[in-house]
């Protein structure tokens, strides 16, 4: 696992944009949550971007490397270990609330809709060390600081609109 930065830099501003289209020369690029890592992508850009991992691990403050293999974007986030359905299956008899308590001890985690969404638990996602190792190995970004979480607010287990319609009939 990559170590945390020994001498963290001062982070005054960083970008984490989701579902924006960025123009680079004659191309329009959609990073689906990934943020640009090239110089001058925005007039107020500091060159730093945020990479949120999971609700129990640090947010990474990175300086992207403008890697060709990533179309010049920094990574978006941790990425899933399994599909949402597979993660729920692997939980077995453990309830989402029990798993949440075990995986986020000491953090203030809230679900707006009230119900814990098992597919968003920390174990659904890759660990921070694995993500930092992949960024280093593929030359995507340099971690300059980490922001430790105190809590997280998630949407929660909301019934999808197409299922809600069925239950109203």
């Amino acid at each position: 696992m990559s170590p945390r930065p020994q001498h963290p830099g001062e982070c005054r501003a960083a970008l984490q944009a989701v579902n924006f289209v960025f123009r680079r020369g004659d191309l329009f690029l959609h990073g689906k949550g990934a943020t640009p890592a090239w110089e001058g992508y925005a007039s107020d850009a500091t060159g730093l971007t945020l990479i949120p991992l999971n609700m129990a691990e640090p947010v990474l403050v990175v300086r992207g490397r403008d890697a060709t293999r990533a179309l010049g974007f920094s990574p978006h986030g941790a990425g899933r270990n399994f599909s949402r359905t597979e993660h729920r299956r692997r939980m077995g008899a453990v309830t989402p609330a029990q798993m949440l308590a075990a995986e986020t001890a000491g953090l203030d985690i809230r679900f707006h809709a009230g119900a814990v969404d098992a597919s968003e638990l920390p174990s659904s996602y890759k660990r921070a060390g694995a993500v930092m190792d992949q960024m280093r190995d593929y030359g995507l970004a340099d971690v300059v600081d980490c922001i430790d979480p105190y809590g997280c607010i998630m949407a929660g287990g909301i019934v999808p609109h197409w299922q809600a319609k069925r239950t109203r009939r």
Side-chain angles (χ1 to χ4, degrees):
M1 177 175 139
S2 296
R4 294 179 88 159
Q6 294 297 316
H7 304 286
E10 183 178 324
C11 177
R12 287 184 234 160
L15 176 70
Q16 203 286 321
V18 177
N19 291 326
F20 285 88
V21 175
F22 295 91
R23 185 173 187 172
R24 188 170 195 187
D26 292 335
L27 295 176
F28 291 87
L29 302 170
H30 177 233
K32 186 64 176 156
T35 51
W38 63 84
E39 189 69 34
Y41 63 85
S43 61
D44 61 348
T46 64
L48 299 177
T49 59
L50 300 177
I51 301 178
L53 298 174
N54 67 59
M55 64 180 78
E57 292 196 292
V59 172
L60 305 178
V61 181
V62 305
R63 184 170 309 285
R65 292 189 186 168
D66 194 7
T68 304
R69 70 178 61 198
L71 297 176
F73 286 90
S74 290
H76 164 50
R80 293 187 170 278
N81 285 318
F82 311 104
S83 70
R84 294 171 190 267
T85 303
E86 178 62 14
H87 184 260
R88 285 188 206 102
R89 188 189 70 74
R90 287 175 181 243
M91 288 174 59
V94 178
T95 69
Q98 290 169 329
M99 191 167 273
L100 175 70
E103 294 181 4
T104 62
L107 298 174
D108 181 7
I109 307 297
R110 303 175 191 196
F111 287 88
H112 178 71
V116 175
D117 181 354
S119 71
E120 292 296 330
L121 294 171
S123 55
S124 296
Y125 294 93
K126 295 176 190 170
R127 305 288 302 179
V131 174
M132 290 190 289
D133 288 346
Q134 288 173 343
M135 286 189 311
R136 181 199 63 236
D137 293 348
Y138 291 99
L140 299 177
D142 297 311
V143 178
V144 298
D145 206 349
C146 297
I147 303 169
D148 291 321
Y150 289 97
C152 183
I153 300 173
M154 301 293 288
I158 299 172
V159 177
H161 70 278
W162 64 88
Q163 288 179 354
K165 288 180 184 178
R166 284 188 217 149
T167 59
R168 281 188 249 150
R169 290 182 185 159

